[in-house]
Amino acid sequence: MFDYQVHTIESAPEGSKASLQGLSKGIGMIPNLAAAMSESPELLRGFLSIREIFYGGTFAPGEIQVLALTNAFENGCQYCMALHSAFALKEGVSNDTVQALRVGSSPQEPKLRALSDFSRKLVRDRGHVREEDVGAFQAAGYKKAQALEVVLGVAVSILPNFAHHLTRCPVDDAFKPHLWSDPRK
């Protein structure tokens, strides 16, 4: 049975309280998924730590959201599609690009297309990309090291994507305008 509480700072396990407080200060809210993930202080701390590393990397905020939407689509995460649709639009990703990613298509912008396609290939083929996949990624203007950074982005996405499959927490009111149903089902 799936029965995970959407914790508050007060109800969260002791080891998660500081993480939830930091998240609240950092983004101005505690998303329901993070609140549900707080049932495991280790998962929450791990996710927030690698998220901070990834978000501090070489990709622009909009590129990070394109990666997050690509990965959430591939992993079928309803919650993450709603949250990252809102965040992507806030970061200036075009509505056309967000809508394309929500149906599993590639963005029209060549550089974002290469980024999304490379991440999609990593997820679908469990990291087994071909030389031409890396070549297309680099031809779009990305560096060799950034291909490895996309691997980090996939890892950052897997934690909340899979956690939502397990916790089935509700989408926050702030993200409900972007509710998503997997078009493959």
Side-chain angles (χ1 to χ4, degrees):
M1 181 163 105
F2 298 94
D3 186 22
Y4 287 88
Q5 182 176 346
V6 176
H7 285 285
T8 63
I9 292 171
E10 295 75 29
S11 71
E14 196 59 42
S16 291
K17 291 181 183 208
S19 296
L20 291 177
Q21 289 168 338
L23 189 57
S24 179
K25 287 180 186 173
I27 66 169
M29 68 179 293
I30 299 171
N32 285 344
L33 183 52
M37 289 168 66
S38 74
E39 185 71 29
S40 169
E42 296 78 12
L43 174 61
L44 184 61
R45 281 195 314 271
F47 167 66
L48 293 175
S49 294
I50 67 168
R51 179 184 173 275
E52 181 179 350
I53 293 166
F54 180 60
Y55 277 56
T58 65
F59 291 116
E63 291 173 314
I64 289 169
Q65 296 308 316
V66 166
L67 283 169
L69 282 167
T70 300
N71 300 336
F73 179 88
E74 291 304 318
N75 290 317
C77 184
Q78 294 176 332
Y79 183 95
C80 297
M81 286 299 290
L83 178 140
H84 288 291
S85 293
F87 286 5
L89 293 167
K90 182 180 175 198
E91 293 296 349
V93 177
S94 74
N95 187 57
D96 287 347
T97 292
V98 171
Q99 293 311 313
L101 293 167
R102 288 171 60 90
V103 297
S105 297
S106 300
Q108 291 300 312
E109 303 92 332
K111 194 166 184 183
L112 293 180
R113 173 184 289 273
L115 179 64
S116 178
D117 289 351
F118 186 70
S119 191
R120 187 178 322 278
K121 185 79 172 157
L122 280 170
V123 173
R124 284 184 180 171
D125 295 341
R126 295 185 174 108
H128 295 281
V129 295
R130 301 172 315 206
E131 193 170 316
E132 51 266 24
D133 298 322
V134 177
F137 179 73
Q138 289 181 285
Y142 291 106
K143 296 179 178 11
K144 182 169 66 171
Q146 287 179 301
L148 293 170
E149 199 172 333
V150 174
V151 173
L152 177 60
V154 170
V156 169
S157 293
I158 284 174
L159 296 175
N161 293 174
F162 288 14
H164 185 258
H165 296 327
L166 186 59
T167 66
R168 300 180 184 183
C169 69
V171 173
D172 305 80
D173 289 342
F175 311 127
K176 282 187 179 173
H178 305 285
L179 285 175
W180 178 80
S181 293
D182 194 332
R184 298 167 292 191
K185 293 184 178 180

